[in-house]
Amino acid sequence: MHLGLSPIQFGLLLLIDQKPGASQGELARAMGTPASVAVGAVRELEDAGMVTRARRQSDRRRHMLALTPKGRVVLDEGKRKVALVEDKLGELIGKEQKCRLLENLRSIALK
């Protein structure tokens, strides 16, 4: 199964799963991406039937996001593929170097 997601879209699915009901702005901040980029990616995910947006009762300007069943299937498949790549990476360079590499990539992503 080819996921057909951009890295931002996959990241959004991960965050929506971790923070159900989060707003688009909250997710954009968590990803360190401009809100306009996140909103566009959310729109694409919504059009693809992977997420839903609903207005917050307490603040009608903000949307709460949730995964749909299709979004859950795609996210689970993406996680499975990431695990396979990480396992293969461990085979190629060893577990210790793989851990260091992933640690370095996380620190770069957080800057």
Side-chain angles (χ1 to χ4, degrees):
M1 169 188 217
H2 177 67
L3 298 178
L5 297 174
S6 70
I8 289 175
Q9 290 170 326
F10 185 66
L12 283 168
L13 290 179
L14 285 167
L15 281 173
I16 292 166
D17 183 46
Q18 293 169 3
K19 301 174 184 233
S23 72
Q24 296 169 128
E26 292 164 341
L27 296 175
R29 282 188 295 283
M31 291 182 66
T33 189
S36 60
V37 172
V39 168
V42 167
R43 186 176 308 113
E44 292 166 355
L45 291 170
E46 186 179 31
D47 290 348
M50 293 184 224
V51 300
T52 59
R53 284 192 276 192
R55 298 252 182 224
R56 278 196 180 162
Q57 292 299 329
S58 60
D59 184 351
R60 305 283 296 155
R61 297 168 295 171
R62 299 174 83 186
H63 289 97
M64 295 183 306
L65 302 172
L67 293 179
T68 64
K70 179 181 179 181
R72 165 67 51 208
V73 168
V74 171
L75 176 60
D76 289 346
E77 179 64 14
K79 287 179 177 179
R80 188 186 70 75
K81 288 184 176 199
V82 167
L84 289 173
V85 168
E86 287 185 1
D87 289 346
K88 183 67 174 175
L89 184 61
E91 291 172 16
L92 293 171
I93 65 173
K95 184 178 179 180
E96 188 177 312
Q97 284 194 8
K98 177 191 93 166
C99 288
R100 263 190 301 220
L101 173 62
L102 293 175
E103 214 172 274
N104 289 334
L105 290 172
R106 277 188 206 95
S107 75
I108 290 169
L110 295 174
K111 291 184 179 189

XYZ file of all heavy atoms in Angstrom:
848
model
N 0.855 -1.190 0.000
C 0.000 0.000 0.000
C 0.890 1.239 0.000
O 1.680 1.455 0.904
C -0.881 -0.015 1.258
C -1.616 1.275 1.502
S -2.449 1.287 3.106
C -3.912 2.172 2.679
N 0.762 2.048 -1.034
C 1.464 3.331 -1.086
C 0.595 4.344 -0.358
O -0.582 4.505 -0.658
C 1.694 3.739 -2.541
C 2.344 5.076 -2.678
N 3.632 5.308 -2.268
C 1.877 6.246 -3.152
C 3.937 6.573 -2.500
N 2.886 7.167 -3.032
N 1.190 5.031 0.590
C 0.409 5.948 1.416
C 0.001 7.207 0.670
O -1.062 7.760 0.916
C 1.190 6.324 2.671
C 1.538 5.171 3.607
C 2.351 5.673 4.781
C 0.299 4.458 4.075
N 0.862 7.719 -0.200
C 0.543 8.929 -0.939
C 0.446 10.166 -0.066
O -0.340 11.063 -0.359
N 1.224 10.203 1.014
C 1.205 11.338 1.933
C 2.512 12.093 1.864
O 3.569 11.499 1.685
C 1.028 10.857 3.375
C -0.249 10.129 3.738
C -0.156 9.610 5.157
C -1.451 11.027 3.576
N 2.442 13.395 2.074
C 3.655 14.180 2.244
C 4.132 13.987 3.681
O 3.359 13.550 4.550
C 3.362 15.665 1.991
O 2.570 16.196 3.043
N 5.393 14.310 3.966
C 5.852 14.216 5.355
C 4.997 15.066 6.318
O 4.722 14.641 7.436
C 7.288 14.738 5.289
C 7.730 14.420 3.894
C 6.496 14.629 3.050
N 4.562 16.236 5.859
C 3.715 17.079 6.718
C 2.375 16.397 6.989
O 1.886 16.396 8.126
C 3.513 18.481 6.099
C 4.825 19.268 6.184
C 2.382 19.239 6.777
C 4.803 20.607 5.508
N 1.797 15.787 5.978
C 0.516 15.105 6.174
C 0.664 13.930 7.136
O -0.172 13.741 8.022
C -0.038 14.622 4.832
C -0.498 15.745 3.940
C -0.804 15.274 2.537
O -0.162 14.359 2.009
N -1.782 15.901 1.912
N 1.737 13.153 6.979
C 1.952 12.033 7.887
C 2.173 12.545 9.312
O 1.621 12.005 10.277
C 3.127 11.166 7.416
C 3.325 9.929 8.251
C 2.374 8.918 8.254
C 4.450 9.768 9.030
C 2.535 7.773 9.028
C 4.634 8.631 9.803
C 3.668 7.632 9.804
N 2.957 13.605 9.442
C 3.178 14.211 10.753
C 1.879 14.688 11.386
O 1.663 14.529 12.592
N 1.005 15.265 10.584
C -0.292 15.716 11.098
C -1.129 14.537 11.579
O -1.757 14.608 12.641
C -1.052 16.511 10.034
C -0.585 17.936 9.828
C -1.195 18.532 8.572
C -0.938 18.797 11.043
N -1.150 13.449 10.815
C -1.901 12.271 11.253
C -1.366 11.764 12.598
O -2.148 11.423 13.490
C -1.833 11.158 10.205
C -2.588 11.382 8.899
C -2.399 10.188 7.961
C -4.065 11.631 9.138
N -0.047 11.733 12.733
C 0.553 11.308 14.007
C 0.110 12.214 15.155
O -0.292 11.739 16.222
C 2.079 11.310 13.908
C 2.730 10.182 13.119
C 4.194 10.507 12.850
C 2.598 8.867 13.862
N 0.178 13.521 14.939
C -0.185 14.471 15.995
C -1.673 14.444 16.319
O -2.061 14.537 17.482
C 0.235 15.885 15.606
C 1.704 16.206 15.791
C 2.029 17.572 15.209
C 2.080 16.165 17.262
N -2.502 14.326 15.299
C -3.952 14.264 15.538
C -4.274 13.029 16.377
O -5.119 13.072 17.271
C -4.736 14.265 14.205
C -4.587 15.626 13.512
C -6.210 13.936 14.432
C -5.033 15.647 12.062
N -3.565 11.939 16.116
C -3.752 10.719 16.894
C -3.311 10.934 18.345
O -3.969 10.477 19.273
C -2.954 9.578 16.254
C -3.162 8.257 16.965
O -4.326 7.911 17.256
O -2.165 7.560 17.217
N -2.209 11.647 18.529
C -1.673 11.886 19.873
C -2.445 12.955 20.632
O -2.475 12.947 21.859
C -0.206 12.308 19.782
C 0.705 11.223 19.281
C 2.098 11.760 18.947
O 2.391 12.939 19.142
N 2.948 10.890 18.429
N -3.040 13.916 19.901
C -3.733 15.045 20.533
C -5.125 15.209 19.925
O -5.391 16.205 19.245
C -2.933 16.333 20.322
C -1.533 16.294 20.887
C -0.768 17.561 20.500
C 0.630 17.467 20.989
N 1.060 18.577 21.788
N -6.007 14.238 20.146
C -7.338 14.360 19.546
C -8.029 15.639 20.013
O -7.925 16.019 21.174
C -8.083 13.111 20.025
C -7.230 12.477 21.054
C -5.866 13.071 20.984
N -8.679 16.304 19.082
C -9.374 17.544 19.404
C -8.502 18.783 19.328
O -8.987 19.883 19.542
N -7.199 18.604 19.021
C -6.312 19.764 18.891
C -6.744 20.602 17.694
O -7.308 20.097 16.728
C -4.870 19.310 18.717
N -6.455 21.888 17.774
C -6.790 22.782 16.663
C -5.684 22.744 15.614
O -4.566 22.293 15.879
C -6.958 24.215 17.168
O -5.694 24.764 17.512
N -6.005 23.259 14.444
C -5.014 23.335 13.365
C -3.810 24.170 13.783
O -2.667 23.815 13.514
C -5.661 23.931 12.102
C -6.753 23.068 11.558
C -7.557 23.752 10.485
O -7.715 23.198 9.419
N -8.066 24.932 10.743
N -4.062 25.271 14.469
C -2.977 26.134 14.933
C -2.084 25.433 15.939
O -0.859 25.569 15.906
N -2.687 24.696 16.865
C -1.907 23.948 17.857
C -1.017 22.918 17.177
O 0.157 22.752 17.543
C -2.842 23.262 18.865
C -3.574 24.226 19.769
C -4.760 23.609 20.485
O -5.269 22.540 20.062
O -5.188 24.213 21.479
N -1.556 22.240 16.180
C -0.771 21.237 15.459
C 0.350 21.896 14.657
O 1.469 21.372 14.607
C -1.674 20.405 14.550
C -2.727 19.563 15.274
C -3.630 18.871 14.276
C -2.089 18.553 16.210
N 0.057 23.022 14.044
C 1.089 23.738 13.277
C 2.240 24.131 14.197
O 3.417 23.938 13.849
C 0.495 24.972 12.603
N 1.916 24.659 15.366
C 2.969 25.032 16.326
C 3.772 23.810 16.760
O 4.993 23.860 16.854
C 2.369 25.755 17.535
C 2.027 27.208 17.247
C 1.611 27.956 18.499
N 0.369 27.464 19.093
C -0.854 27.727 18.637
N -1.001 28.501 17.563
N -1.918 27.254 19.246
N 3.093 22.714 17.031
C 3.781 21.491 17.461
C 4.729 20.972 16.382
O 5.773 20.401 16.689
C 2.763 20.412 17.830
N 4.375 21.197 15.117
C 5.221 20.744 14.006
C 6.262 21.786 13.616
O 7.154 21.481 12.832
C 4.350 20.408 12.786
C 3.489 19.186 12.986
S 2.532 18.781 11.521
C 3.818 18.346 10.380
N 6.107 23.001 14.110
C 7.032 24.058 13.729
C 6.859 24.489 12.288
O 7.810 24.869 11.610
N 5.636 24.450 11.821
C 5.340 24.824 10.440
C 4.357 25.988 10.424
O 3.577 26.149 11.366
C 4.774 23.601 9.669
O 4.683 23.905 8.290
C 3.406 23.211 10.157
N 4.387 26.820 9.393
C 3.420 27.918 9.326
C 1.981 27.391 9.325
O 1.697 26.340 8.741
C 3.741 28.610 7.998
C 5.141 28.211 7.678
C 5.318 26.834 8.257
N 1.093 28.127 9.968
C -0.306 27.709 10.047
C -0.909 27.513 8.664
O -1.688 26.583 8.452
C -1.116 28.731 10.840
N -0.541 28.360 7.710
C -1.110 28.250 6.361
C -0.734 26.918 5.715
O -1.540 26.315 4.992
C -0.631 29.405 5.483
O 0.783 29.394 5.370
N 0.473 26.429 5.982
C 0.906 25.140 5.434
C 0.108 24.013 6.085
O -0.377 23.101 5.410
C 2.424 24.939 5.636
C 2.859 23.534 5.255
C 3.207 25.972 4.834
N -0.042 24.081 7.404
C -0.788 23.053 8.120
C -2.251 23.033 7.685
O -2.823 21.961 7.479
C -0.676 23.261 9.626
N -2.852 24.210 7.533
C -4.260 24.283 7.122
C -4.439 23.653 5.746
O -5.389 22.889 5.516
C -4.769 25.742 7.144
C -6.114 25.865 6.457
C -4.851 26.244 8.578
N -3.526 23.930 4.826
C -3.609 23.325 3.496
C -3.476 21.815 3.543
O -4.214 21.088 2.864
N -2.554 21.327 4.367
C -2.356 19.884 4.491
C -3.568 19.231 5.149
O -3.990 18.144 4.748
C -1.087 19.597 5.281
N -4.154 19.894 6.140
C -5.367 19.366 6.784
C -6.497 19.301 5.771
O -7.244 18.312 5.719
C -5.771 20.218 8.013
C -7.183 19.881 8.478
C -4.776 20.022 9.138
N -6.620 20.321 4.951
C -7.676 20.331 3.926
C -7.515 19.131 2.985
O -8.494 18.454 2.648
C -7.638 21.631 3.128
C -8.813 21.753 2.144
C -8.850 23.087 1.414
N -8.785 24.221 2.326
C -7.757 25.079 2.402
N -6.715 24.949 1.621
N -7.779 26.086 3.258
N -6.277 18.859 2.585
C -6.018 17.704 1.704
C -6.371 16.394 2.407
O -6.950 15.492 1.786
C -4.557 17.704 1.263
C -4.218 18.851 0.335
C -2.719 19.066 0.164
O -1.914 18.383 0.839
O -2.356 19.928 -0.659
N -6.017 16.278 3.682
C -6.358 15.066 4.440
C -7.871 14.926 4.595
O -8.416 13.817 4.497
C -5.683 15.083 5.818
C -4.165 14.940 5.817
C -3.603 15.228 7.207
C -3.745 13.559 5.343
N -8.544 16.046 4.807
C -9.996 16.022 4.919
C -10.626 15.618 3.583
O -11.531 14.769 3.552
C -10.507 17.398 5.358
C -11.997 17.435 5.631
C -12.459 18.801 6.089
O -11.882 19.824 5.677
O -13.423 18.836 6.865
N -10.139 16.185 2.491
C -10.656 15.840 1.160
C -10.441 14.364 0.845
O -11.240 13.754 0.131
C -9.996 16.698 0.076
C -10.434 18.160 0.121
O -11.421 18.466 0.835
O -9.764 18.991 -0.521
N -9.358 13.793 1.376
C -9.054 12.376 1.158
C -9.806 11.461 2.123
O -9.676 10.238 2.056
C -7.546 12.140 1.286
N -10.590 12.064 3.040
C -11.391 11.278 3.967
C -10.623 10.712 5.145
O -11.059 9.757 5.774
N -9.470 11.330 5.469
C -8.644 10.815 6.563
C -8.833 11.558 7.876
O -8.517 11.015 8.932
C -7.171 10.853 6.163
C -6.845 9.881 5.050
S -5.093 9.887 4.716
C -5.109 9.895 2.939
N -9.312 12.795 7.827
C -9.568 13.559 9.055
C -10.888 14.301 8.921
O -11.378 14.539 7.817
C -8.443 14.581 9.389
C -7.114 13.891 9.577
C -8.354 15.673 8.371
N -11.430 14.644 10.077
C -12.621 15.490 10.111
C -12.285 16.747 10.899
O -11.427 16.728 11.784
C -13.817 14.782 10.790
O -13.450 14.424 12.125
C -14.236 13.557 10.004
N -12.953 17.825 10.535
C -12.825 19.091 11.256
C -14.195 19.456 11.793
O -15.186 19.368 11.083
C -12.391 20.219 10.312
C -10.964 20.192 9.927
C -10.578 21.474 9.252
N -10.906 21.456 7.829
C -10.473 22.356 6.974
N -9.716 23.352 7.402
N -10.789 22.286 5.715
N -14.223 19.867 13.047
C -15.478 20.326 13.649
C -15.185 21.595 14.433
O -14.113 21.734 15.028
C -16.038 19.254 14.572
N -16.109 22.524 14.421
C -15.940 23.775 15.168
C -15.992 23.497 16.660
O -16.791 22.692 17.123
C -17.028 24.773 14.810
C -17.014 25.183 13.357
C -16.529 26.581 13.241
N -16.561 26.988 11.840
C -15.584 27.649 11.266
N -14.527 27.979 11.971
N -15.648 27.988 10.018
N -15.135 24.182 17.396
C -15.181 24.089 18.858
C -16.379 24.876 19.355
O -16.621 25.998 18.910
C -13.917 24.696 19.473
C -12.765 23.763 19.486
C -11.702 24.264 20.423
N -10.601 23.300 20.382
C -9.393 23.542 20.787
N -9.087 24.717 21.287
N -8.465 22.626 20.718
N -17.103 24.301 20.299
C -18.258 24.999 20.870
C -17.817 26.250 21.628
O -18.481 27.273 21.586
C -19.043 24.067 21.796
C -19.726 22.939 21.058
C -20.750 23.434 20.048
O -21.385 24.472 20.220
N -20.909 22.690 18.965
N -16.662 26.160 22.302
C -16.192 27.281 23.115
C -15.561 28.396 22.290
O -15.451 29.521 22.756
C -15.183 26.784 24.157
O -14.069 26.198 23.499
N -15.134 28.073 21.067
C -14.497 29.077 20.199
C -14.786 28.689 18.757
O -14.082 27.877 18.165
C -12.983 29.130 20.458
C -12.287 30.217 19.650
O -12.930 30.823 18.754
O -11.098 30.454 19.895
N -15.822 29.252 18.189
C -16.304 28.865 16.857
C -15.285 29.154 15.746
O -15.450 28.694 14.633
C -17.629 29.576 16.554
C -18.700 29.372 17.585
C -19.379 28.035 17.535
N -20.089 27.854 16.294
C -20.356 26.669 15.774
N -19.982 25.571 16.372
N -21.007 26.572 14.651
N -14.236 29.918 16.059
C -13.220 30.204 15.037
C -12.245 29.047 14.873
O -11.526 28.981 13.889
C -12.441 31.472 15.390
C -13.295 32.725 15.437
C -12.533 33.857 16.060
N -12.282 33.498 17.473
C -11.508 34.171 18.288
N -10.880 35.230 17.887
N -11.349 33.787 19.539
N -12.204 28.157 15.847
C -11.216 27.082 15.845
C -11.853 25.752 15.493
O -12.969 25.468 15.892
C -10.553 26.985 17.220
C -9.832 28.276 17.564
C -9.296 28.256 18.937
N -8.002 27.559 18.923
C -7.334 27.285 20.017
N -7.801 27.612 21.194
N -6.183 26.679 19.943
N -11.099 24.954 14.732
C -11.537 23.612 14.370
C -10.823 22.578 15.232
O -9.625 22.680 15.464
C -11.197 23.310 12.904
C -12.021 24.051 11.928
N -11.606 25.218 11.320
C -13.257 23.805 11.448
C -12.541 25.638 10.505
N -13.554 24.807 10.562
N -11.572 21.582 15.679
C -10.986 20.412 16.334
C -10.819 19.346 15.260
O -11.687 19.169 14.405
C -11.906 19.882 17.431
C -12.106 20.839 18.577
S -13.131 20.132 19.885
C -14.589 19.621 19.018
N -9.712 18.640 15.307
C -9.424 17.632 14.293
C -9.485 16.236 14.884
O -9.119 16.024 16.043
C -8.045 17.878 13.693
C -7.865 19.264 13.066
C -6.420 19.495 12.685
C -8.759 19.408 11.857
N -9.933 15.281 14.081
C -9.990 13.882 14.503
C -9.716 12.986 13.301
O -10.035 13.359 12.159
C -11.358 13.560 15.095
N -9.139 11.829 13.573
C -8.918 10.844 12.517
C -10.235 10.159 12.184
O -11.050 9.888 13.068
C -7.929 9.764 12.973
C -6.489 10.163 13.221
C -5.691 8.952 13.694
C -5.861 10.739 11.973
N -10.416 9.840 10.919
C -11.525 8.995 10.492
C -11.031 7.544 10.509
O -9.820 7.303 10.651
C -11.968 9.353 9.063
O -10.880 9.056 8.175
C -12.386 10.812 8.937
N -11.926 6.584 10.333
C -11.447 5.199 10.234
C -10.415 5.017 9.108
O -9.420 4.308 9.288
C -12.720 4.401 9.972
C -13.791 5.206 10.664
C -13.391 6.654 10.407
N -10.623 5.676 7.980
C -9.647 5.602 6.892
C -8.315 6.204 7.324
O -7.246 5.658 7.033
C -10.170 6.327 5.648
C -9.195 6.305 4.484
C -9.745 7.047 3.272
C -8.742 7.034 2.133
N -9.245 7.754 0.957
N -8.360 7.325 8.014
C -7.143 7.954 8.515
C -6.394 7.044 9.469
O -5.164 6.977 9.459
N -7.135 6.328 10.317
C -6.535 5.377 11.253
C -5.813 4.263 10.493
O -4.695 3.896 10.823
C -7.612 4.800 12.168
C -7.239 3.578 12.949
C -6.195 3.737 14.001
N -6.495 4.834 14.877
C -5.551 5.526 15.516
N -4.284 5.236 15.375
N -5.873 6.523 16.295
N -6.448 3.730 9.450
C -5.837 2.658 8.657
C -4.552 3.156 7.992
O -3.516 2.485 8.029
C -6.838 2.125 7.592
C -6.145 1.233 6.570
C -7.978 1.382 8.267
N -4.604 4.338 7.405
C -3.434 4.895 6.725
C -2.322 5.178 7.739
O -1.151 4.861 7.486
C -3.816 6.178 5.940
C -2.577 6.895 5.418
C -4.743 5.824 4.789
N -2.664 5.744 8.887
C -1.659 6.016 9.914
C -1.018 4.713 10.405
O 0.208 4.633 10.525
C -2.284 6.773 11.086
C -1.353 7.032 12.265
C -0.127 7.862 11.838
C -2.099 7.719 13.388
N -1.830 3.705 10.676
C -1.289 2.435 11.151
C -0.357 1.816 10.114
O 0.698 1.272 10.459
C -2.410 1.462 11.518
C -3.153 1.878 12.786
O -2.647 2.751 13.531
O -4.252 1.331 13.027
N -0.721 1.905 8.849
C 0.141 1.383 7.781
C 1.434 2.194 7.693
O 2.515 1.643 7.506
C -0.598 1.402 6.441
C 0.207 0.903 5.271
C 0.613 -0.565 5.364
O 0.070 -1.312 6.198
O 1.491 -0.965 4.583
N 1.324 3.498 7.844
C 2.519 4.343 7.836
C 3.452 4.003 8.988
O 4.668 3.915 8.808
N 2.895 3.798 10.174
C 3.715 3.422 11.328
C 4.412 2.079 11.079
O 5.570 1.902 11.448
C 2.853 3.329 12.591
C 2.408 4.656 13.148
C 1.538 4.402 14.381
C 1.103 5.660 15.071
N 0.253 5.360 16.248
N 3.683 1.150 10.468
C 4.269 -0.156 10.158
C 5.444 0.000 9.198
O 6.508 -0.588 9.392
C 3.199 -1.084 9.566
C 3.663 -2.525 9.388
C 2.624 -3.368 8.670
N 2.487 -3.002 7.274
C 3.364 -3.305 6.312
N 4.466 -3.938 6.593
N 3.149 -2.936 5.061
N 5.267 0.850 8.189
C 6.347 1.072 7.215
C 7.544 1.766 7.850
O 8.689 1.434 7.540
C 5.819 1.876 6.018
C 4.917 1.055 5.133
C 4.478 1.812 3.902
C 3.663 0.898 3.020
N 3.573 1.362 1.663
N 7.299 2.709 8.727
C 8.399 3.377 9.425
C 9.177 2.364 10.251
O 10.410 2.362 10.257
C 7.870 4.535 10.310
C 8.936 5.023 11.282
C 7.376 5.691 9.437
N 8.464 1.479 10.947
C 9.129 0.455 11.760
C 9.986 -0.464 10.891
O 11.109 -0.827 11.277
C 8.096 -0.354 12.546
N 9.494 -0.828 9.705
C 10.271 -1.671 8.794
C 11.548 -0.973 8.338
O 12.621 -1.589 8.290
C 9.428 -2.069 7.569
C 8.304 -3.058 7.808
C 7.455 -3.208 6.543
C 8.852 -4.405 8.242
N 11.442 0.309 8.021
C 12.616 1.070 7.594
C 13.617 1.186 8.742
O 14.825 1.012 8.548
C 12.199 2.471 7.079
C 13.405 3.376 6.899
C 11.426 2.346 5.771
N 13.116 1.450 9.940
C 14.012 1.557 11.092
C 14.688 0.223 11.383
O 15.873 0.185 11.728
C 13.260 2.075 12.319
C 12.928 3.545 12.219
C 12.283 4.107 13.477
O 12.108 3.355 14.468
O 11.950 5.297 13.471
N 13.959 -0.886 11.229
C 14.565 -2.213 11.425
C 15.659 -2.463 10.390
O 16.741 -2.949 10.720
C 13.509 -3.310 11.335
C 12.567 -3.334 12.532
O 12.880 -2.679 13.554
O 11.517 -4.001 12.437
N 15.375 -2.132 9.149
C 16.362 -2.317 8.079
C 17.591 -1.445 8.334
O 18.734 -1.879 8.142
C 15.731 -1.984 6.720
C 16.628 -2.198 5.543
C 16.918 -3.672 5.363
C 17.720 -3.890 4.082
N 18.108 -5.276 3.933
N 17.371 -0.224 8.770
C 18.464 0.676 9.099
C 19.336 0.075 10.201
O 20.565 0.111 10.128
C 17.907 2.042 9.532
C 18.900 3.144 9.837
C 19.737 3.476 8.604
C 18.180 4.376 10.340
N 18.696 -0.512 11.203
C 19.432 -1.168 12.279
C 20.278 -2.321 11.774
O 21.411 -2.531 12.224
N 19.748 -3.064 10.812
C 20.509 -4.165 10.213
C 21.733 -3.638 9.463
O 22.788 -4.258 9.483
C 19.630 -4.961 9.244
C 18.533 -5.760 9.900
C 17.580 -6.363 8.871
O 17.926 -6.422 7.665
O 16.470 -6.769 9.277
N 21.574 -2.513 8.795
C 22.648 -1.974 7.960
C 23.755 -1.305 8.764
O 24.938 -1.466 8.442
C 22.087 -0.983 6.935
C 21.177 -1.570 5.857
C 20.521 -0.455 5.049
C 21.966 -2.497 4.946
N 23.385 -0.532 9.771
C 24.416 0.246 10.480
C 24.564 -0.137 11.951
O 25.406 0.417 12.648
C 24.150 1.770 10.361
C 22.859 2.181 11.067
C 24.161 2.216 8.911
C 22.633 3.686 11.121
N 23.758 -1.039 12.424
C 23.837 -1.459 13.821
C 22.889 -0.653 14.685
O 22.581 0.504 14.391
N 22.464 -1.301 15.760
C 21.457 -0.688 16.635
C 21.951 0.612 17.275
O 21.231 1.602 17.329
C 21.050 -1.689 17.716
C 19.951 -1.192 18.605
C 19.529 -2.223 19.627
C 18.449 -1.663 20.518
N 18.031 -2.638 21.521
N 23.191 0.601 17.756
C 23.710 1.785 18.448
C 23.793 2.994 17.519
O 23.374 4.097 17.868
C 25.093 1.481 19.029
C 25.623 2.578 19.928
C 26.961 2.199 20.548
O 27.072 1.076 21.066
O 27.876 3.038 20.488
N 24.339 2.784 16.309
C 24.439 3.901 15.361
C 23.064 4.346 14.891
O 22.837 5.529 14.660
C 25.317 3.520 14.174
C 26.778 3.525 14.526
C 27.654 3.485 13.281
O 27.175 3.600 12.155
N 28.944 3.337 13.494
N 22.138 3.396 14.739
C 20.768 3.757 14.348
C 20.155 4.665 15.412
O 19.550 5.694 15.088
C 19.910 2.510 14.163
C 18.456 2.845 13.832
C 17.560 1.639 13.923
C 16.973 1.582 15.296
N 15.853 0.691 15.465
N 20.322 4.321 16.673
C 19.772 5.141 17.761
C 20.377 6.537 17.746
O 19.664 7.533 17.907
C 20.016 4.464 19.102
S 18.981 3.005 19.344
N 21.691 6.605 17.540
C 22.352 7.922 17.472
C 21.831 8.740 16.297
O 21.582 9.937 16.421
C 23.864 7.761 17.365
C 24.560 7.892 18.696
C 26.038 7.978 18.493
N 26.435 6.756 17.801
C 27.527 6.057 18.038
N 28.395 6.476 18.898
N 27.789 4.951 17.396
N 21.702 8.091 15.143
C 21.210 8.784 13.953
C 19.801 9.324 14.194
O 19.513 10.491 13.906
C 21.218 7.854 12.736
C 20.571 8.401 11.468
C 21.303 9.641 10.973
C 20.520 7.328 10.389
N 18.916 8.486 14.723
C 17.536 8.931 14.972
C 17.496 10.052 16.005
O 16.705 10.992 15.872
C 16.670 7.746 15.405
C 16.436 6.684 14.325
C 15.675 5.505 14.900
C 15.726 7.259 13.116
N 18.357 9.967 17.009
C 18.456 11.036 18.006
C 18.879 12.355 17.347
O 18.313 13.420 17.616
C 19.491 10.638 19.058
C 19.205 11.092 20.450
C 20.207 10.470 21.413
O 19.955 9.345 21.862
O 21.232 11.123 21.677
N 19.890 12.288 16.482
C 20.358 13.485 15.778
C 19.281 14.049 14.860
O 19.098 15.271 14.788
C 21.631 13.187 14.982
C 22.830 12.971 15.873
O 22.890 13.471 16.988
N 23.796 12.206 15.388
N 18.557 13.187 14.172
C 17.492 13.653 13.284
C 16.372 14.328 14.080
O 15.834 15.354 13.646
C 16.932 12.493 12.453
C 17.872 11.938 11.389
C 17.286 10.678 10.769
C 18.176 12.981 10.322
N 16.038 13.771 15.259
C 15.017 14.405 16.110
C 15.454 15.792 16.555
O 14.670 16.730 16.553
C 14.733 13.533 17.332
C 13.763 12.436 17.061
C 13.338 11.707 18.338
N 12.931 10.360 17.985
C 13.719 9.292 18.028
N 14.955 9.394 18.451
N 13.287 8.122 17.660
N 16.744 15.915 16.919
C 17.216 17.229 17.387
C 17.211 18.239 16.243
O 16.892 19.404 16.444
C 18.589 17.127 18.036
O 19.604 16.965 17.088
N 17.518 17.802 15.038
C 17.461 18.690 13.873
C 15.997 19.107 13.624
O 15.723 20.278 13.376
C 18.046 17.999 12.621
C 19.557 17.852 12.770
C 17.704 18.786 11.354
C 20.191 16.951 11.723
N 15.094 18.149 13.706
C 13.677 18.434 13.435
C 13.098 19.408 14.448
O 12.196 20.180 14.129
C 12.870 17.132 13.446
N 13.636 19.411 15.662
C 13.098 20.278 16.719
C 13.666 21.688 16.675
O 13.241 22.545 17.447
C 13.348 19.651 18.088
C 12.605 18.341 18.342
C 13.050 17.728 19.664
C 11.109 18.552 18.312
N 14.630 21.940 15.800
C 15.232 23.281 15.704
C 14.421 24.178 14.812
O 13.686 23.842 14.012
C 16.656 23.184 15.187
C 17.560 22.546 16.215
C 18.984 22.542 15.764
C 19.828 21.919 16.867
N 21.223 22.024 16.654
